[in-house]
Amino acid sequence: MAIKVKAIIGSTSTTSYNAKVVDFMQKRYADKLDITPVSINDVENFSVDIEENPPENAQKFKDEVKDSDAVLFAVAEYNSSITGTLKNAIDWLSRGGDFTLKNKPGFIVGSSISMHGTVRAQLHLREILSNPALSPILLPNNEVYIGSVQDKINEDGEITDQGTIEFLDTVVNNFVEFYNKVNTLETVNA
Ligand SMILES: Cc1cc2nc3c(=O)[nH]c(=O)nc-3n(C[C@H](O)[C@H](O)[C@H](O)COP(=O)(O)O)c2cc1C
């Protein structure tokens, strides 16, 4: 059975390349991963003033992430970091005492129009996610930096760059193997 993955797209752009990458992955890996994108666009600004009674949009986001076997972060890079919108959404996941991301398997991809392919944003994201209130179990040693993404996706939103496709194939296979190992360990330790 396919792994139920919620994809958190770190961009609010209606023409987001990262959303297109997720769309591509959703179709290409449907036999392995059941990927559903989760919107962060409407998630209200986090404040401790409202965290006890989260607004519907924030609660919906948290519930959607919770209802998954795994998470996929598709990262856009703004000014050498993740977008403010993604940071806000992650802040919601860290609060409420239910630790939505804790021990949830996950992996990260990212694309940008520069050559660096979100390497700085992903470094920040890994640091943020290492906080004890977040702490998903991230796939190690598989870093997906899709640089110059505008040259690798066609008008229909399909990735056309063969090297990128093959690399994604490898990373997804590695993630499935990793996910199964994590689940086996959890069963043994239960
Ligand atoms: C405010 C802003 C800041 C940006 N800063 C960076 C940056 O630091 N590094 C980078 O590679 N691209 C940067 N970009 C370009 C993004 O890579 C590009 O807009 C990309 O399409 C964003 O991902 P998305 O298409 O999924 O929204 C920036 C774009 C904006 C609008």
Side-chain angles (χ1 to χ4, degrees), residues 9-13 15-19 75-81 111-118 120 149:
I9 299 163
S11 166
T12 57
S13 164
T15 57
S16 166
Y17 285 114
N18 283 284
V75 177
E77 183 166 290
Y78 276 11
N79 299 312
S80 312
S81 189
S111 55
S112 78
I113 59 173
S114 81
M115 282 165 53
H116 309 296
T118 73
R120 293 166 299 188
V149 64

Short mmCIF file of all heavy atoms in Angstrom, two decimals, residues 9-13 15-19 75-81 111-118 120 149, ligand 1:
data_model
loop_
_atom_site.label_atom_id
_atom_site.label_comp_id
_atom_site.label_asym_id
_atom_site.label_seq_id
_atom_site.Cartn_x
_atom_site.Cartn_y
_atom_site.Cartn_z
N ILE A 9 4.07 22.61 0.89
CA ILE A 9 4.75 23.39 -0.16
C ILE A 9 5.08 24.78 0.39
O ILE A 9 4.18 25.54 0.75
CB ILE A 9 3.88 23.48 -1.43
CG1 ILE A 9 3.61 22.07 -1.97
CG2 ILE A 9 4.55 24.36 -2.49
CD1 ILE A 9 2.47 21.99 -2.95
N GLY A 10 6.36 25.08 0.46
CA GLY A 10 6.77 26.33 1.11
C GLY A 10 6.72 27.54 0.21
O GLY A 10 7.64 28.36 0.22
N SER A 11 5.66 27.67 -0.56
CA SER A 11 5.50 28.82 -1.44
C SER A 11 4.03 29.13 -1.56
O SER A 11 3.21 28.21 -1.59
CB SER A 11 6.05 28.49 -2.83
OG SER A 11 5.63 29.45 -3.78
N THR A 12 3.70 30.40 -1.64
CA THR A 12 2.29 30.77 -1.82
C THR A 12 2.00 31.16 -3.27
O THR A 12 0.89 31.53 -3.60
CB THR A 12 1.94 31.98 -0.92
OG1 THR A 12 2.83 33.05 -1.24
CG2 THR A 12 2.04 31.64 0.55
N SER A 13 3.01 31.06 -4.11
CA SER A 13 2.86 31.49 -5.50
C SER A 13 1.89 30.58 -6.25
O SER A 13 1.97 29.36 -6.14
CB SER A 13 4.23 31.46 -6.18
OG SER A 13 4.08 31.50 -7.57
N THR A 15 2.01 30.13 -9.28
CA THR A 15 2.77 29.49 -10.36
C THR A 15 4.01 28.79 -9.80
O THR A 15 5.00 28.63 -10.50
CB THR A 15 3.20 30.54 -11.41
OG1 THR A 15 3.95 31.56 -10.74
CG2 THR A 15 2.00 31.17 -12.10
N SER A 16 3.92 28.39 -8.55
CA SER A 16 5.08 27.84 -7.83
C SER A 16 5.72 26.64 -8.55
O SER A 16 5.05 25.65 -8.86
CB SER A 16 4.63 27.40 -6.43
OG SER A 16 5.61 26.59 -5.84
N TYR A 17 7.01 26.73 -8.76
CA TYR A 17 7.75 25.58 -9.29
C TYR A 17 7.73 24.42 -8.29
O TYR A 17 7.67 23.26 -8.67
CB TYR A 17 9.21 25.97 -9.58
CG TYR A 17 9.36 26.82 -10.83
CD1 TYR A 17 9.80 28.14 -10.74
CD2 TYR A 17 9.09 26.29 -12.08
CE1 TYR A 17 9.95 28.92 -11.88
CE2 TYR A 17 9.23 27.06 -13.23
CZ TYR A 17 9.66 28.37 -13.12
OH TYR A 17 9.79 29.14 -14.25
N ASN A 18 7.81 24.76 -7.01
CA ASN A 18 7.82 23.70 -6.00
C ASN A 18 6.50 22.94 -5.99
O ASN A 18 6.48 21.72 -5.80
CB ASN A 18 8.17 24.28 -4.63
CG ASN A 18 9.66 24.56 -4.54
OD1 ASN A 18 10.45 23.65 -4.38
ND2 ASN A 18 10.04 25.83 -4.70
N ALA A 19 5.40 23.67 -6.22
CA ALA A 19 4.10 22.99 -6.32
C ALA A 19 4.10 22.07 -7.55
O ALA A 19 3.53 20.96 -7.51
CB ALA A 19 2.98 24.02 -6.41
N VAL A 75 10.55 23.01 -0.78
CA VAL A 75 11.02 24.27 -0.23
C VAL A 75 11.33 25.30 -1.31
O VAL A 75 12.06 25.00 -2.26
CB VAL A 75 12.31 23.99 0.58
CG1 VAL A 75 12.91 25.26 1.11
CG2 VAL A 75 12.02 23.03 1.71
N ALA A 76 10.79 26.49 -1.16
CA ALA A 76 11.21 27.64 -1.97
C ALA A 76 12.23 28.42 -1.14
O ALA A 76 12.21 28.35 0.09
CB ALA A 76 10.01 28.51 -2.30
N GLU A 77 13.12 29.13 -1.82
CA GLU A 77 14.11 29.93 -1.08
C GLU A 77 13.84 31.42 -1.30
O GLU A 77 13.82 31.89 -2.43
CB GLU A 77 15.53 29.59 -1.55
CG GLU A 77 16.59 30.35 -0.75
CD GLU A 77 18.00 29.80 -0.97
OE1 GLU A 77 18.28 28.68 -0.49
OE2 GLU A 77 18.80 30.47 -1.63
N TYR A 78 13.60 32.11 -0.19
CA TYR A 78 13.46 33.57 -0.23
C TYR A 78 14.58 34.16 0.63
O TYR A 78 14.68 33.84 1.83
CB TYR A 78 12.12 34.00 0.37
CG TYR A 78 10.93 33.98 -0.59
CD1 TYR A 78 11.00 33.39 -1.85
CD2 TYR A 78 9.72 34.56 -0.20
CE1 TYR A 78 9.90 33.36 -2.70
CE2 TYR A 78 8.62 34.55 -1.06
CZ TYR A 78 8.71 33.95 -2.29
OH TYR A 78 7.62 33.94 -3.12
N ASN A 79 15.36 35.01 0.02
CA ASN A 79 16.43 35.70 0.75
C ASN A 79 17.24 34.75 1.63
O ASN A 79 17.38 34.96 2.84
CB ASN A 79 15.83 36.87 1.56
CG ASN A 79 15.17 37.86 0.62
OD1 ASN A 79 15.76 38.25 -0.38
ND2 ASN A 79 13.94 38.25 0.93
N SER A 80 17.68 33.70 1.01
CA SER A 80 18.60 32.74 1.62
C SER A 80 18.00 31.93 2.76
O SER A 80 18.73 31.39 3.61
CB SER A 80 19.88 33.43 2.13
OG SER A 80 20.39 34.28 1.15
N SER A 81 16.69 31.84 2.81
CA SER A 81 16.05 31.02 3.85
C SER A 81 14.73 30.47 3.30
O SER A 81 14.41 30.64 2.13
CB SER A 81 15.82 31.87 5.10
OG SER A 81 15.39 31.04 6.17
N SER A 111 13.33 23.59 -5.02
CA SER A 111 13.75 24.09 -6.33
C SER A 111 13.74 25.60 -6.33
O SER A 111 12.90 26.24 -5.68
CB SER A 111 12.82 23.55 -7.41
OG SER A 111 11.49 23.86 -7.13
N SER A 112 14.71 26.15 -7.06
CA SER A 112 14.77 27.61 -7.19
C SER A 112 15.31 27.96 -8.57
O SER A 112 15.86 27.10 -9.27
CB SER A 112 15.64 28.23 -6.10
OG SER A 112 17.01 28.08 -6.42
N ILE A 113 15.15 29.23 -8.91
CA ILE A 113 15.60 29.64 -10.25
C ILE A 113 17.10 29.93 -10.28
O ILE A 113 17.66 30.11 -11.33
CB ILE A 113 14.80 30.86 -10.75
CG1 ILE A 113 14.95 32.05 -9.79
CG2 ILE A 113 13.33 30.50 -10.93
CD1 ILE A 113 14.31 33.33 -10.32
N SER A 114 17.73 29.96 -9.13
CA SER A 114 19.18 30.15 -9.11
C SER A 114 19.86 28.78 -9.19
O SER A 114 19.20 27.74 -9.09
CB SER A 114 19.62 30.88 -7.84
OG SER A 114 19.70 29.97 -6.77
N MET A 115 21.18 28.81 -9.32
CA MET A 115 21.92 27.54 -9.43
C MET A 115 21.90 26.74 -8.14
O MET A 115 22.07 25.53 -8.14
CB MET A 115 23.39 27.83 -9.76
CG MET A 115 23.66 28.18 -11.20
SD MET A 115 25.28 28.92 -11.37
CE MET A 115 26.32 27.69 -10.57
N HIS A 116 21.71 27.44 -7.01
CA HIS A 116 21.92 26.78 -5.72
C HIS A 116 20.76 25.85 -5.31
O HIS A 116 20.94 25.03 -4.41
CB HIS A 116 22.13 27.82 -4.62
CG HIS A 116 23.20 28.81 -4.98
ND1 HIS A 116 24.51 28.45 -5.16
CD2 HIS A 116 23.15 30.15 -5.24
CE1 HIS A 116 25.22 29.51 -5.51
NE2 HIS A 116 24.42 30.55 -5.56
N GLY A 117 19.61 26.02 -5.94
CA GLY A 117 18.52 25.07 -5.72
C GLY A 117 18.05 24.93 -4.29
O GLY A 117 17.74 23.84 -3.83
N THR A 118 18.03 26.04 -3.55
CA THR A 118 17.50 26.13 -2.17
C THR A 118 18.40 25.50 -1.11
O THR A 118 17.93 25.15 -0.03
CB THR A 118 16.07 25.53 -2.02
OG1 THR A 118 16.12 24.10 -2.10
CG2 THR A 118 15.11 26.06 -3.07
N ARG A 120 20.52 26.85 0.83
CA ARG A 120 20.53 27.62 2.10
C ARG A 120 19.21 27.49 2.84
O ARG A 120 19.17 27.34 4.06
CB ARG A 120 20.87 29.09 1.80
CG ARG A 120 22.29 29.27 1.29
CD ARG A 120 22.52 30.62 0.69
NE ARG A 120 21.65 30.87 -0.47
CZ ARG A 120 21.75 31.91 -1.27
NH1 ARG A 120 22.68 32.83 -1.05
NH2 ARG A 120 20.94 32.07 -2.30
N VAL A 149 15.50 25.74 -12.04
CA VAL A 149 14.30 24.91 -12.24
C VAL A 149 13.50 25.35 -13.47
O VAL A 149 12.86 24.52 -14.13
CB VAL A 149 13.43 24.91 -10.95
CG1 VAL A 149 12.89 26.29 -10.63
CG2 VAL A 149 12.29 23.91 -11.06
C1 LIG B 1 11.33 37.71 -2.19
C2 LIG B 1 12.11 36.71 -2.99
C3 LIG B 1 13.38 36.33 -2.57
C4 LIG B 1 14.10 35.38 -3.26
N1 LIG B 1 15.31 34.97 -2.79
C5 LIG B 1 15.95 33.93 -3.39
C6 LIG B 1 17.14 33.38 -2.84
O1 LIG B 1 17.63 33.81 -1.82
N2 LIG B 1 17.71 32.31 -3.45
C7 LIG B 1 17.18 31.76 -4.60
O2 LIG B 1 17.71 30.80 -5.10
N3 LIG B 1 16.05 32.26 -5.16
C8 LIG B 1 15.44 33.33 -4.59
N4 LIG B 1 14.29 33.85 -5.13
C9 LIG B 1 13.80 33.29 -6.40
C10 LIG B 1 13.03 32.01 -6.16
O3 LIG B 1 13.93 30.93 -6.29
C11 LIG B 1 11.95 31.85 -7.24
O4 LIG B 1 11.02 32.91 -7.09
C12 LIG B 1 11.27 30.51 -7.14
O5 LIG B 1 10.39 30.42 -8.25
C13 LIG B 1 10.50 30.36 -5.82
O6 LIG B 1 9.89 29.10 -5.71
P1 LIG B 1 8.38 28.87 -6.13
O7 LIG B 1 8.32 28.99 -7.64
O8 LIG B 1 8.05 27.50 -5.68
O9 LIG B 1 7.53 29.94 -5.48
C14 LIG B 1 13.56 34.81 -4.46
C15 LIG B 1 12.30 35.23 -4.89
C16 LIG B 1 11.57 36.15 -4.17
C17 LIG B 1 10.19 36.55 -4.64
#
